[in-house]
Amino acid sequence: MAFSPPSSPPSSPLPPRRRLETGEVRRRSYLFDGNGAFNATSWSPLSDATTSTSFTWHHVELPKGGPFKLTNYAQSLIELLSPPLKLHEILDLASNGPYCAQQLDGTLIFRVNSGGPIASECSIRLAVRVTENSVITVSVGRVPRLGFSDPNGSGSLLTEIPAVEGEKEGRVVIAEHVLEDLLLMNHSEEADNPVPTRVSGLVVHIIDTHIDQLHDIVTKLEMELDAVELELDKGGDLLRKQMLDDRRFPKMHLDLQRLLQVVSHGEQVFPRVKEKCASKSWFPSEDIAALEELIGRLRRLKENLGFLTNRVAALQAGLDSWQSEQINRKLYYLSFLSIIFLPLSIVTGIFGMNVGGVPWTNQRDPELEGGFMKVMVLCAAVVLLLLLCFMFPSIYVRFSAWRTESALNRSSSFNKRPRRNVLNGNLRGGGYVLI
C-alpha cells in the first residue's frame, strides 16, 4: 500500500494590497512653443515636440497621505509613464535618497527624495527626467508655484488691489485667515512665473519652486517657534507641563532634522546637475548662473535651519531645567518631612531597645541595669566618629592614604621571591630580587 503524505491545510489568501486609483494621481501635460506661450495637452508621454523650439512637460503628482508605499508609487508610474520610460528609469524616479546620473543617450535624471515618512509635511520628494525637448517630473504632494498662470485668463488674487474691511469700489476685501496663509509664502502663487522659452529655463523653474517650498516650510516653523516662545513667556507651570507631556519641541526638532536631510540631498544633487548641464549645448550659460544662485540659496537656507535647531534645543533645555527645579523642590519638601520625623524615630528607637536600664520603665533587675548606658555610649562613639570625618576630612584622607600604602606594600612583598646560588646553595644579593 503506497504511503501518501498528509495534505496540508489550505493557506488563507493574502489580503489585496491597496493600489492607487486613477483619480488619486494628478497629472498635467503642457506643450511650450518656445516663444513664451504654452497649451495644456492630453496626457501622452510618447508625443514629441512639433517644432525645433517647442518642448513638452509632463508632471505626475502622487498623493501624500494614506497608507501608500514606494511599490504603490512605482506601479502608478509604470502605468502612466511606460512607455517611453524603461523600468530602470522608473525605479530611479521612485527610489529614496539623492541621485543624479546621465544615461548614454544624454537623458539626465536626478531626484531629491526624502526617506522619512511619506505623510510628513517635512518629507519632500521630487524627481526629474530631462531630455533636449521634454521634461518629466514626479512629486509627492502639491508643489506650490510649480505651474504657470494663463496669460489669457483672469488675474490671481495677488494682482488685485486689496482692502481690509468694507466694500470699496475696485478693491478686494482680504479676510484675516487669507492673510495668515499668504504671510507664510515667500513668493506669489503662480502669478508672476515667466513662461520658459527653453528646456533649461523649465529645469531652473522646477528647482526654484522646490527651494521655495522648503523656504515656506522653514518660515512656517519659524513663526510657530516664535508663537511658542511668546506663550512660554506669558504662560505658567501648567503650560510648561503640557508642552513636556506633548513632546512639543522633540517633534519640532525631528521635523527640522528631516528638512536638513532634504536640504543636504539638494546640496549633493544640484551641483552635479549644474556640472552635467554645463556640458550640454542646449543649456545656456545664464541658466547655469541661475542654478549657481539657487545652490547658494539652498546653503543659506541650511544655515537658517541650523539656527532654528539651536533655538529649539535651547527651549527644550529650558524646559528640562524647569522640570529639574520642580523635582528638586519636591525632594526638598521630602527632606523637610524627614527632618521632622527623624528625631521622633530616634526617640522611639531608643525606648524600644530590648535591653535593661531603660529609663521610665519598670526594669529593676540589677544585672541588666547597665545595658542601656553601654548601648548609648556605643551609639555616641559612632556618631562622634562620623562627625569627625565630616568636620575634619583630612583625617579621613590620611586614613585612606595609610590603607592604600599598606595594600601596596603587601602586594610588593608578594611579588618578591628568593634567588639561590646554584654553586653553593646560599642566598646572594640580600636573598630577594624584584620580578
PDB file of all heavy atoms in Angstrom, residues 278-295:
ATOM      1  N   ALA A 278      26.190  71.891 -17.749  1.00  0.00           N
ATOM      2  CA  ALA A 278      27.144  72.819 -18.349  1.00  0.00           C
ATOM      3  C   ALA A 278      27.769  72.256 -19.623  1.00  0.00           C
ATOM      4  O   ALA A 278      28.226  73.015 -20.489  1.00  0.00           O
ATOM      5  CB  ALA A 278      28.241  73.179 -17.343  1.00  0.00           C
ATOM      6  N   SER A 279      27.777  70.944 -19.760  1.00  0.00           N
ATOM      7  CA  SER A 279      28.364  70.317 -20.944  1.00  0.00           C
ATOM      8  C   SER A 279      27.360  70.152 -22.090  1.00  0.00           C
ATOM      9  O   SER A 279      27.733  69.642 -23.147  1.00  0.00           O
ATOM     10  CB  SER A 279      28.935  68.947 -20.580  1.00  0.00           C
ATOM     11  OG  SER A 279      27.909  68.090 -20.088  1.00  0.00           O
ATOM     12  N   LYS A 280      26.118  70.569 -21.901  1.00  0.00           N
ATOM     13  CA  LYS A 280      25.093  70.418 -22.937  1.00  0.00           C
ATOM     14  C   LYS A 280      24.949  71.712 -23.720  1.00  0.00           C
ATOM     15  O   LYS A 280      24.924  72.809 -23.149  1.00  0.00           O
ATOM     16  CB  LYS A 280      23.756  70.028 -22.307  1.00  0.00           C
ATOM     17  CG  LYS A 280      23.802  68.695 -21.563  1.00  0.00           C
ATOM     18  CD  LYS A 280      22.445  68.309 -21.027  1.00  0.00           C
ATOM     19  CE  LYS A 280      22.511  66.985 -20.274  1.00  0.00           C
ATOM     20  NZ  LYS A 280      22.919  65.865 -21.149  1.00  0.00           N
ATOM     21  N   SER A 281      24.815  71.580 -25.002  1.00  0.00           N
ATOM     22  CA  SER A 281      24.727  72.764 -25.874  1.00  0.00           C
ATOM     23  C   SER A 281      23.401  73.492 -25.722  1.00  0.00           C
ATOM     24  O   SER A 281      23.330  74.703 -25.961  1.00  0.00           O
ATOM     25  CB  SER A 281      24.926  72.335 -27.337  1.00  0.00           C
ATOM     26  OG  SER A 281      23.922  71.382 -27.715  1.00  0.00           O
ATOM     27  N   TRP A 282      22.333  72.804 -25.338  1.00  0.00           N
ATOM     28  CA  TRP A 282      21.021  73.427 -25.214  1.00  0.00           C
ATOM     29  C   TRP A 282      20.779  74.021 -23.826  1.00  0.00           C
ATOM     30  O   TRP A 282      19.671  74.457 -23.520  1.00  0.00           O
ATOM     31  CB  TRP A 282      19.914  72.411 -25.524  1.00  0.00           C
ATOM     32  CG  TRP A 282      20.083  71.072 -24.871  1.00  0.00           C
ATOM     33  CD1 TRP A 282      20.714  69.990 -25.401  1.00  0.00           C
ATOM     34  CD2 TRP A 282      19.611  70.684 -23.586  1.00  0.00           C
ATOM     35  NE1 TRP A 282      20.671  68.938 -24.520  1.00  0.00           N
ATOM     36  CE2 TRP A 282      19.987  69.332 -23.400  1.00  0.00           C
ATOM     37  CE3 TRP A 282      18.905  71.319 -22.577  1.00  0.00           C
ATOM     38  CZ2 TRP A 282      19.697  68.631 -22.250  1.00  0.00           C
ATOM     39  CZ3 TRP A 282      18.602  70.625 -21.423  1.00  0.00           C
ATOM     40  CH2 TRP A 282      19.000  69.299 -21.278  1.00  0.00           C
ATOM     41  N   PHE A 283      21.803  74.062 -22.986  1.00  0.00           N
ATOM     42  CA  PHE A 283      21.697  74.657 -21.655  1.00  0.00           C
ATOM     43  C   PHE A 283      22.600  75.882 -21.616  1.00  0.00           C
ATOM     44  O   PHE A 283      23.807  75.777 -21.446  1.00  0.00           O
ATOM     45  CB  PHE A 283      22.122  73.657 -20.582  1.00  0.00           C
ATOM     46  CG  PHE A 283      21.351  73.775 -19.301  1.00  0.00           C
ATOM     47  CD1 PHE A 283      20.307  72.927 -19.022  1.00  0.00           C
ATOM     48  CD2 PHE A 283      21.652  74.765 -18.385  1.00  0.00           C
ATOM     49  CE1 PHE A 283      19.586  73.028 -17.842  1.00  0.00           C
ATOM     50  CE2 PHE A 283      20.951  74.894 -17.209  1.00  0.00           C
ATOM     51  CZ  PHE A 283      19.902  74.025 -16.934  1.00  0.00           C
ATOM     52  N   PRO A 284      22.068  77.107 -21.796  1.00  0.00           N
ATOM     53  CA  PRO A 284      22.905  78.303 -21.921  1.00  0.00           C
ATOM     54  C   PRO A 284      23.563  78.684 -20.598  1.00  0.00           C
ATOM     55  O   PRO A 284      23.210  78.184 -19.524  1.00  0.00           O
ATOM     56  CB  PRO A 284      21.915  79.377 -22.388  1.00  0.00           C
ATOM     57  CG  PRO A 284      20.590  78.901 -21.922  1.00  0.00           C
ATOM     58  CD  PRO A 284      20.635  77.406 -21.952  1.00  0.00           C
ATOM     59  N   SER A 285      24.504  79.604 -20.690  1.00  0.00           N
ATOM     60  CA  SER A 285      25.292  79.994 -19.518  1.00  0.00           C
ATOM     61  C   SER A 285      24.469  80.766 -18.497  1.00  0.00           C
ATOM     62  O   SER A 285      24.721  80.670 -17.290  1.00  0.00           O
ATOM     63  CB  SER A 285      26.491  80.836 -19.961  1.00  0.00           C
ATOM     64  OG  SER A 285      26.048  81.990 -20.669  1.00  0.00           O
ATOM     65  N   GLU A 286      23.463  81.553 -18.949  1.00  0.00           N
ATOM     66  CA  GLU A 286      22.671  82.307 -17.972  1.00  0.00           C
ATOM     67  C   GLU A 286      21.849  81.379 -17.078  1.00  0.00           C
ATOM     68  O   GLU A 286      21.630  81.668 -15.896  1.00  0.00           O
ATOM     69  CB  GLU A 286      21.750  83.309 -18.670  1.00  0.00           C
ATOM     70  CG  GLU A 286      20.839  82.710 -19.731  1.00  0.00           C
ATOM     71  CD  GLU A 286      21.446  82.808 -21.123  1.00  0.00           C
ATOM     72  OE1 GLU A 286      22.691  82.900 -21.219  1.00  0.00           O
ATOM     73  OE2 GLU A 286      20.674  82.822 -22.097  1.00  0.00           O
ATOM     74  N   ASP A 287      21.413  80.250 -17.626  1.00  0.00           N
ATOM     75  CA  ASP A 287      20.700  79.290 -16.788  1.00  0.00           C
ATOM     76  C   ASP A 287      21.656  78.554 -15.857  1.00  0.00           C
ATOM     77  O   ASP A 287      21.265  78.169 -14.746  1.00  0.00           O
ATOM     78  CB  ASP A 287      19.946  78.292 -17.662  1.00  0.00           C
ATOM     79  CG  ASP A 287      18.774  78.936 -18.389  1.00  0.00           C
ATOM     80  OD1 ASP A 287      18.222  79.918 -17.853  1.00  0.00           O
ATOM     81  OD2 ASP A 287      18.420  78.479 -19.491  1.00  0.00           O
ATOM     82  N   ILE A 288      22.894  78.356 -16.277  1.00  0.00           N
ATOM     83  CA  ILE A 288      23.905  77.785 -15.372  1.00  0.00           C
ATOM     84  C   ILE A 288      24.143  78.739 -14.204  1.00  0.00           C
ATOM     85  O   ILE A 288      24.251  78.318 -13.039  1.00  0.00           O
ATOM     86  CB  ILE A 288      25.211  77.511 -16.131  1.00  0.00           C
ATOM     87  CG1 ILE A 288      24.995  76.447 -17.226  1.00  0.00           C
ATOM     88  CG2 ILE A 288      26.310  77.061 -15.172  1.00  0.00           C
ATOM     89  CD1 ILE A 288      24.643  75.082 -16.703  1.00  0.00           C
ATOM     90  N   ALA A 289      24.216  80.045 -14.481  1.00  0.00           N
ATOM     91  CA  ALA A 289      24.375  81.032 -13.409  1.00  0.00           C
ATOM     92  C   ALA A 289      23.156  81.036 -12.480  1.00  0.00           C
ATOM     93  O   ALA A 289      23.299  81.208 -11.261  1.00  0.00           O
ATOM     94  CB  ALA A 289      24.598  82.412 -14.004  1.00  0.00           C
ATOM     95  N   ALA A 290      21.970  80.837 -13.043  1.00  0.00           N
ATOM     96  CA  ALA A 290      20.766  80.765 -12.206  1.00  0.00           C
ATOM     97  C   ALA A 290      20.814  79.548 -11.285  1.00  0.00           C
ATOM     98  O   ALA A 290      20.417  79.630 -10.118  1.00  0.00           O
ATOM     99  CB  ALA A 290      19.521  80.723 -13.086  1.00  0.00           C
ATOM    100  N   LEU A 291      21.315  78.415 -11.789  1.00  0.00           N
ATOM    101  CA  LEU A 291      21.467  77.238 -10.941  1.00  0.00           C
ATOM    102  C   LEU A 291      22.467  77.491  -9.813  1.00  0.00           C
ATOM    103  O   LEU A 291      22.250  77.060  -8.669  1.00  0.00           O
ATOM    104  CB  LEU A 291      21.916  76.038 -11.776  1.00  0.00           C
ATOM    105  CG  LEU A 291      20.875  75.384 -12.681  1.00  0.00           C
ATOM    106  CD1 LEU A 291      21.512  74.232 -13.454  1.00  0.00           C
ATOM    107  CD2 LEU A 291      19.694  74.880 -11.876  1.00  0.00           C
ATOM    108  N   GLU A 292      23.538  78.194 -10.112  1.00  0.00           N
ATOM    109  CA  GLU A 292      24.523  78.522  -9.086  1.00  0.00           C
ATOM    110  C   GLU A 292      23.907  79.407  -7.999  1.00  0.00           C
ATOM    111  O   GLU A 292      24.168  79.222  -6.799  1.00  0.00           O
ATOM    112  CB  GLU A 292      25.718  79.228  -9.726  1.00  0.00           C
ATOM    113  CG  GLU A 292      26.842  79.556  -8.756  1.00  0.00           C
ATOM    114  CD  GLU A 292      27.505  78.303  -8.210  1.00  0.00           C
ATOM    115  OE1 GLU A 292      27.547  77.289  -8.930  1.00  0.00           O
ATOM    116  OE2 GLU A 292      27.966  78.348  -7.051  1.00  0.00           O
ATOM    117  N   GLU A 293      23.059  80.337  -8.396  1.00  0.00           N
ATOM    118  CA  GLU A 293      22.382  81.187  -7.414  1.00  0.00           C
ATOM    119  C   GLU A 293      21.419  80.373  -6.545  1.00  0.00           C
ATOM    120  O   GLU A 293      21.324  80.598  -5.328  1.00  0.00           O
ATOM    121  CB  GLU A 293      21.628  82.294  -8.138  1.00  0.00           C
ATOM    122  CG  GLU A 293      20.929  83.271  -7.193  1.00  0.00           C
ATOM    123  CD  GLU A 293      20.186  84.355  -7.953  1.00  0.00           C
ATOM    124  OE1 GLU A 293      20.297  84.381  -9.200  1.00  0.00           O
ATOM    125  OE2 GLU A 293      19.493  85.151  -7.299  1.00  0.00           O
ATOM    126  N   LEU A 294      20.727  79.425  -7.148  1.00  0.00           N
ATOM    127  CA  LEU A 294      19.817  78.585  -6.373  1.00  0.00           C
ATOM    128  C   LEU A 294      20.577  77.707  -5.379  1.00  0.00           C
ATOM    129  O   LEU A 294      20.104  77.474  -4.261  1.00  0.00           O
ATOM    130  CB  LEU A 294      18.989  77.711  -7.318  1.00  0.00           C
ATOM    131  CG  LEU A 294      17.974  78.450  -8.201  1.00  0.00           C
ATOM    132  CD1 LEU A 294      17.295  77.476  -9.149  1.00  0.00           C
ATOM    133  CD2 LEU A 294      16.938  79.161  -7.356  1.00  0.00           C
ATOM    134  N   ILE A 295      21.742  77.237  -5.773  1.00  0.00           N
ATOM    135  CA  ILE A 295      22.563  76.439  -4.848  1.00  0.00           C
ATOM    136  C   ILE A 295      22.997  77.303  -3.664  1.00  0.00           C
ATOM    137  O   ILE A 295      23.005  76.848  -2.513  1.00  0.00           O
ATOM    138  CB  ILE A 295      23.772  75.851  -5.586  1.00  0.00           C
ATOM    139  CG1 ILE A 295      23.303  74.822  -6.630  1.00  0.00           C
ATOM    140  CG2 ILE A 295      24.745  75.199  -4.613  1.00  0.00           C
ATOM    141  CD1 ILE A 295      24.397  74.332  -7.549  1.00  0.00           C
TER     142      ILE A 295
END
